[in-house]
Amino acid sequence: MIMKTIPSTPLILKRAGLGLLALCAAVLTGCGGGGGEGAGLTVGFAQAGAESAWRRAETASIKDEAGKRGVNLRFSDAQGKQENQIAAVRDFIAQGVDAIILAPIVETGWDDVLGEAKDAGIPVVLVDRGVDVGDDSIYATLIASDFVAEGKMAGEWLFKKSGGKARIIELEGTPGAAPAIDRKKGFDDVIGQHAGMEIIASQSGDFNIEKGKEVMEALLAKHAGEVTVVYAHNDDMALGAIQALEAAGKKPGEEVIVISIDGGKAALTALVEGKMNCVVECLPLLGPNAFDAVETIRAGGTLPKWQKVDDQLFDADNTDAAFAENRPY
Ligand code: GYE
């Protein structure tokens, strides 16, 4: 790749020059109405897709925040395909953007293209999903939840709720995606410690409602007589599973416990209606944090490799209709 051959010194100068420009812009425009540190920057956002309400909320948060800060945002939706996302990152590098925000579809396969970004002197801020790379200096920071902890929270809640007896169908996220791998790990680890709890089937519903419903229908054809719990790696698949349960004549939330992760309005509403029993939160409003990170990097500051987003758990004890109604996504 051409970018790899560019020597680092001129790039450092280039970045310093742009930093100065940004500073001038900040001084000229002041802090209000789109001014500030980010004003005038060009940032590429390589989004994974639009498969879930969560991801649409994340996209909206990043676009809104760019608008507020006067950042010129270039947006790409990879439509669930890693090759599209890699091509988008390469395009941003070729365009010489000031920074790249990347929500990586899967964990692996990023070494080359992120190495190219580093060689080009373009910082990469990872949002919402982590990567598995040989050299972690090829990205600046990761802003994301702890997905193992989320899965663990769900498993521990279920242990208490079920008294340690459960026949579970697990609906996994996109194969190879950090939240699918880690939400499975955290949950399965807890379940594995209790003899009366068993995962009777575990299959991917690709983080979307249609696939969640379809997979649940197929699994119900086999396991309708024994299933007592559905654990879905996100809200959308849980909502699809609820439709499948109802179509099969089962009462979600009563005959079958339903657990999801994300905590969007639709899931919290289902919780209040009694069709869902437990929702572990995962916050999608990462725009402010992402652009704070870009500005810190450009100001020469350092950031922790992982900025952990804190999540909580919702169930019938702490969630009411007003809370669900006011959920902004
Ligand atoms: O839970 C899911 C989405 O990467 C944390 O991706 C994100 C997950 C989120 O499609 O709904």
Side-chain angles (χ1 to χ4, degrees):
M1 278 284 108
I2 291 169
M3 290 304 168
K4 274 194 172 163
T5 64
I6 296 173
S8 59
T9 314
L11 288 162
I12 289 164
L13 290 175
K14 178 185 156 211
R15 288 173 71 191
L18 288 170
L20 203 63
L21 257 179
L23 192 69
C24 295
V27 169
L28 286 173
T29 54
C31 290
E37 304 278 327
L41 292 181
T42 297
V43 176
F45 175 32
Q47 176 58 292
E51 73 284 354
S52 63
W54 190 100
R55 190 156 303 286
R56 294 188 289 275
E58 179 190 49
T59 297
S61 171
I62 288 177
K63 285 185 173 174
D64 287 357
E65 195 62 26
K68 277 185 198 151
R69 297 190 191 209
V71 169
N72 168 25
L73 189 73
R74 305 212 174 138
F75 177 71
S76 159
D77 176 341
Q79 300 183 329
K81 295 205 172 74
Q82 186 180 26
E83 62 264 32
N84 292 347
Q85 208 173 19
I86 290 173
V89 172
R90 287 214 167 101
D91 276 352
F92 291 147
I93 296 170
Q95 291 164 25
V97 297
D98 297 308
I100 294 170
I101 299 173
L102 168 66
I105 297 177
V106 288
E107 273 189 346
T108 55
W110 296 104
D111 297 81
D112 288 351
V113 72
L114 296 190
E116 289 160 28
K118 185 185 175 189
D119 291 347
I122 299 173
V124 174
V125 172
L126 299 179
V127 286
D128 98 65
R129 293 181 181 179
V131 293
D132 185 357
V133 290
D135 164 15
D136 72 4
S137 77
I138 58 180
Y139 66 90
T141 189
L142 162 69
I143 303 163
S145 293
D146 182 339
F147 304 129
V148 174
E150 290 174 348
K152 220 172 145 216
M153 264 198 259
E156 279 162 1
W157 179 91
L158 179 62
F159 175 65
K160 276 196 210 135
K161 170 84 178 176
S162 67
K165 280 201 182 326
R167 310 280 295 159
I168 306 158
I169 287 180
E170 179 168 5
L171 297 177
E172 300 175 26
T174 303
I181 296 167
D182 290 349
R183 287 171 182 168
K184 180 166 182 60
K185 183 179 184 338
F187 183 80
D188 290 11
D189 280 357
V190 175
I191 301 310
Q193 288 163 21
H194 304 288
M197 300 173 87
E198 197 188 325
I199 296 165
I200 55 174
S202 188
Q203 210 173 302
S204 173
D206 220 6
F207 280 133
N208 74 70
I209 190 163
E210 294 82 14
K211 191 87 187 287
K213 183 178 177 212
E214 195 183 299
V215 170
M216 189 64 195
E217 277 167 359
L219 292 176
L220 276 174
K222 261 182 156 179
H223 303 286
E226 57 171 333
V227 61
T228 62
V229 178
V230 176
Y231 165 57
H233 290 184
N234 83 342
D235 284 358
D236 303 72
M237 293 189 296
L239 293 164
I242 286 174
Q243 291 178 12
L245 283 165
E246 285 176 334
K250 290 220 170 248
K251 282 202 174 126
E254 288 177 35
E255 289 167 276
V256 178
I257 290 175
V258 180
I259 304 172
S260 82
I261 301 182
D262 275 354
K265 192 177 199 154
L268 293 181
T269 303
L271 180 65
V272 171
E273 287 169 352
K275 294 183 179 187
M276 193 97 90
N277 306 83
C278 170
V279 181
V280 176
E281 183 181 46
C282 182
L283 280 174
L285 306 180
L286 304 178
N289 302 355
F291 289 104
D292 281 354
V294 168
E295 290 176 9
T296 300
I297 296 159
R298 292 191 57 85
T302 49
L303 290 166
K305 219 63 214 181
W306 181 12
Q307 301 184 60
K308 218 187 266 192
V309 180
D310 271 341
D311 304 309
Q312 54 171 317
L313 183 144
F314 301 111
D315 64 9
D317 294 340
N318 67 3
T319 311
D320 61 16
F323 184 78
E325 183 54 36
N326 290 323
R327 198 71 167 162
Y329 49 88

